[in-house]
Every structure is written in C-alpha cells, then in structure tokens.
Amino acid sequence: MESFSCRGCAGDDVVPVVDLGAQPCADHFPPIDTPGEDPRWPLELWLCRDCKLVQLGPVEPQLPEPPLAVESATSLAHAEASVKELLGDHPELTGKTVFEFASHHGGSWLDHLQAAGCRIATGSELADLVVDVHGIAHEPAVGEMMKLRADRLAPGGLLVLEFHHLLPLFIGNQFDTIRHGHWSYLSLGAVIRLGTLYGLAVESVQRIDMFGGSLRVMLRHEAEARPDESVTETLQDEGAAGISDEIQLAGLQEAAWHAAGALHDELARHKAAGRTVLGYGAPSKAPVLLDLSKVGTDLLAFTVDAAPGKHGRRIPGSGVPIRSIDELRAARPEIVLVLTWDIADEVISQLEADGGGWGATYLVPLPEPHEVVG
C-alpha cells in the first residue's frame, strides 16, 4: 500500500478511507473548444490515526487555478456580519493589530476590521487578531500552516479559524466538496491536536452555515485559553458521528455513489418526460458531482454562472458548457439544477426577484436530489 506522511502532524500512520476515483482539477475550467480529454488525478481521503486529520492522499498540486469566481452576496454579507459579531464579543480587539491569511474563497474581513479601527500588522509584527477564513484547507502542508498562524499571534491575542467542517460534510453527504486543492477536511478534534503541537488551545467554537456547514474556532496561546462548553459539545457531536473512525468514514464512499446515481436517474427521468433541465452555477464542487453522477451534455445541456470569466468555458470532466445567467432566463427551463447548492436560497431569490421567475422547479442535488419550488 502506498503511504505518505500526514499533512498535519507528519506522522506515518495514515490510511485511505474514501476513494472517489480519478477526477479533474476542480477549478481548472478549460475553454469550451479545448480539444482532448481533461486530465485527471486520484481523489482520495486518508485519515491520520494519530492526529485524526482527514486529508487528500499522496497527490501533488496539478494545474494552476486562476481566480475566475465572483463572491456571492451570501459571502459578502457573512464577512460584514462576522466582524460585527466578533468585535461585539471581543471589544478589546477594536483598534488592535490584525493579520489575515488570505483565502481562495475570498470573503476577506480586512476592510470591515479596518473600518472598525483595527490596524493591519506590517512586516513581521505580531498581531492581536489573526484571521484565517477558509484559507488553511487550501494549503498542502496544513501543520506547517498552523505553525505560521501560531507564530504570527501576539501574547494575549486571538486566532480565528473558519473552515468547512468535516461533520456536516460527513452526515450531509457533501461529497462534492472533496476536491483537488482542498487538502484537509478539518474537524475540531484534529484542530485541537494540531494546535497543541504549536502551543495553541481552542477556547470556543461556533457553527456557521457557510458552504453547507462551517466551524469558527477561537484559539489562544495554551496558557491563556479558557475553553467553554461549546468545545465539549462539538467534540461530543463529532464523536457520536464517528468522523475520526476509519470504518465510519469509509461509509461516505458508498453514500456518495448512491446520491450520484440518484441524481443521474432523476435527470434521466426528466429527459424521458420531455422536460428541459439546465444548471445554475459552475462552482469547484460541480466537476466531482457531475462526474460521479455520469452527467454530461446529454442530461445537462449547459449551466450558467455569475462570473464572466467562466463564460465560454466548460466544467472539466463532464464537458458541460458555462454560459451567462441571461441565457438561462431566455431558455426558461422547467427544471434548474442548482450546482451552488450551499447558496440555493440566494440563487432562487435572484431568479425569482421582481416576478422574473417563470415557474421553474429547482433541483438541489444533495444530500439526495430534492425539488424546491420557486
């Protein structure tokens, strides 16, 4: 069996738990007329038996991921509300120094923190507030990145980590969030173990709706942290779900194939009935979802996206073209497959705004395909 060192603790006791087969890079959207098959690489989840980090297996970064996406209204509102809440809970941070580790998802808090009086730390200056919102999962060496964040934190300071939580991924069958470029799938238990390696301890935890279920974790230097009940409660929920158990985690593979087959069958049923199905969104989740579901242009003629940079390109693997939202409105399909399912409410509201809807039914693919009437 191939082996490698844990991306978190560097231990060698790492085992495969989920295999989604060879998949294309999730954020590499080729121009629609690019010839040939899209390149693929193994997409596997491995579990470290020592620190309990769930992570991608022994695969290296492949293709560049140019920033084509645009931030959703949900993401922008989340950043503003998060800063207001954080400074409301920690007024002592107002006017203090802040350093943010950038995220591929966008959603920066810096503008809002600066507007509230915080100053950006410069050079090697330590910061009273260190922020990482959906950034660390994009780093192949997550343990080294945790050390960088610890090293940046001033005495008495607060480190805020927000990340897509392994718990809702597992219990909600969010298999399409597993992708090249997301190197780790973090649980609170793993964050606690990795933090301990660099003198950090978790003080409190908040569950956040973003990206289908995220966790916001507050850490301090070990001698300064006073953990509250939210830490215990979240660890209990993780333990009950078995997300650090390799046998339990392996169940995600069967659940993924089941949901993928159900989506294929649902789209085939609509096609047989003569209904038009088009997509909304070309997120990084779409390649895995459509590939495992064996959905190509025969079942989904095209999808649309708010990002102009994606227009004229295709979803890798499935080959589904990406067009402008105006083309979806013009086509008026009976069924809209919402590939950006984590912001389905925002999508439906936009398409139905000011009476602009046309009576479409919206199909949300996970955890099982289900319909939502606009």
Side-chain angles (χ1 to χ4, degrees), residues 112-181:
H112 300 295
L113 287 166
Q114 284 184 282
C118 293
R119 178 178 64 81
I120 298 177
T122 58
S124 59
E125 180 183 10
L126 300 183
D128 301 300
L129 173 62
V130 176
V131 175
D132 180 322
V133 181
H134 299 278
I136 200 167
H138 291 271
E139 302 289 352
V142 62
E144 294 176 15
M145 295 303 105
M146 185 71 81
K147 182 179 186 300
L148 284 181
R149 286 143 182 79
D151 290 346
R152 195 82 205 204
L153 188 63
L158 182 69
L159 167 60
V160 180
L161 285 181
E162 187 174 303
F163 51 84
H164 186 227
H165 189 195
L166 178 61
L167 179 60
L169 186 161
F170 179 69
I171 64 177
N173 197 20
Q174 298 170 357
F175 67 87
D176 61 345
T177 60
I178 303 168
R179 45 152 292 197
H180 300 118

Side-chain angles (χ1 to χ4, degrees), residues 226-283:
R226 301 292 181 268
D228 65 18
E229 291 183 359
S230 66
V231 178
T232 302
E233 292 170 357
T234 304
L235 287 174
Q236 288 174 342
D237 289 346
E238 290 185 349
I243 61 171
S244 62
D245 179 271
E246 59 199 81
I247 296 175
Q248 293 277 26
L249 283 170
L252 180 61
Q253 182 170 318
E254 182 178 350
W257 284 109
H258 176 79
L263 178 59
H264 178 276
D265 292 348
E266 183 72 0
L267 296 187
R269 181 177 69 85
H270 287 302
K271 180 181 179 180
R275 303 185 192 100
T276 300
V277 181
L278 297 176
Y280 185 102

Side-chain angles (χ1 to χ4, degrees), residues 28-372:
H28 178 69
F29 297 98
I32 189 66
D33 57 356
T34 302
E37 294 289 326
D38 297 317
R40 295 170 177 266
W41 293 268
L43 186 60
E44 303 169 348
L45 290 186
W46 290 49
L47 171 71
C48 177
R49 288 169 169 162
D50 294 330
C51 72
K52 306 303 182 183
L53 178 68
V54 175
Q55 57 205 283
L56 290 189
V59 62
E60 296 301 319
Q62 275 80 43
L63 299 173
E65 299 182 356
L68 298 175
V70 297
E71 286 192 61
S72 67
T74 300
S75 176
L76 294 170
H78 173 67
E80 183 176 9
S82 297
V83 170
K84 183 177 181 181
E85 181 180 359
L86 176 67
L87 296 182
D89 292 341
H90 299 278
E92 73 279 3
L93 292 173
T94 302
K96 296 296 185 67
T97 54
V98 60
F99 186 87
E100 182 180 69
F101 287 87
S103 166
H104 290 222
H105 286 288
S108 174
W109 291 8
L110 278 186
D111 287 347
H112 300 295
L113 287 166
Q114 284 184 282
C118 293
R119 178 178 64 81
I120 298 177
T122 58
S124 59
E125 180 183 10
L126 300 183
D128 301 300
L129 173 62
V130 176
V131 175
D132 180 322
V133 181
H134 299 278
I136 200 167
H138 291 271
E139 302 289 352
V142 62
E144 294 176 15
M145 295 303 105
M146 185 71 81
K147 182 179 186 300
L148 284 181
R149 286 143 182 79
D151 290 346
R152 195 82 205 204
L153 188 63
L158 182 69
L159 167 60
V160 180
L161 285 181
E162 187 174 303
F163 51 84
H164 186 227
H165 189 195
L166 178 61
L167 179 60
L169 186 161
F170 179 69
I171 64 177
N173 197 20
Q174 298 170 357
F175 67 87
D176 61 345
T177 60
I178 303 168
R179 45 152 292 197
H180 300 118
H182 281 182
W183 297 94
S184 56
Y185 300 80
L186 294 164
S187 63
L188 177 60
V191 168
I192 288 174
R193 292 179 182 89
L194 294 178
T196 299
L197 296 177
Y198 305 108
L200 297 173
V202 173
E203 184 167 83
S204 64
V205 178
Q206 293 174 273
R207 303 188 197 203
I208 308 296
D209 289 337
M210 289 295 295
F211 301 114
S214 297
L215 210 60
R216 183 181 300 158
V217 179
M218 314 291 190
L219 301 97
R220 295 188 186 274
H221 295 296
E222 279 182 316
E224 301 161 355
R226 301 292 181 268
D228 65 18
E229 291 183 359
S230 66
V231 178
T232 302
E233 292 170 357
T234 304
L235 287 174
Q236 288 174 342
D237 289 346
E238 290 185 349
I243 61 171
S244 62
D245 179 271
E246 59 199 81
I247 296 175
Q248 293 277 26
L249 283 170
L252 180 61
Q253 182 170 318
E254 182 178 350
W257 284 109
H258 176 79
L263 178 59
H264 178 276
D265 292 348
E266 183 72 0
L267 296 187
R269 181 177 69 85
H270 287 302
K271 180 181 179 180
R275 303 185 192 100
T276 300
V277 181
L278 297 176
Y280 185 102
S284 59
K285 296 189 286 287
V288 170
L289 176 67
L290 297 183
D291 192 81
L292 259 64
S293 302
K294 296 180 170 56
V295 171
T297 53
D298 57 328
L299 295 178
L300 192 67
F302 66 86
T303 189
V304 302
D305 198 88
K310 292 183 180 179
H311 300 164
R313 295 175 178 268
R314 68 179 186 230
I315 294 178
S318 69
V320 172
I322 306 167
R323 302 179 182 174
S324 71
I325 295 174
D326 286 343
E327 295 197 45
L328 179 69
R329 294 186 184 278
R332 300 172 69 88
E334 289 94 338
I335 309 294
V336 176
L337 175 62
V338 184
L339 296 174
T340 49
W341 52 258
D342 56 305
I343 56 169
D345 289 345
E346 177 184 330
V347 169
I348 295 170
S349 295
Q350 288 176 351
L351 293 178
E352 297 289 327
D354 302 321
W358 56 90
T361 295
Y362 298 91
L363 181 62
V364 178
L366 298 177
E368 292 278 342
H370 60 281
E371 293 183 354
V372 179

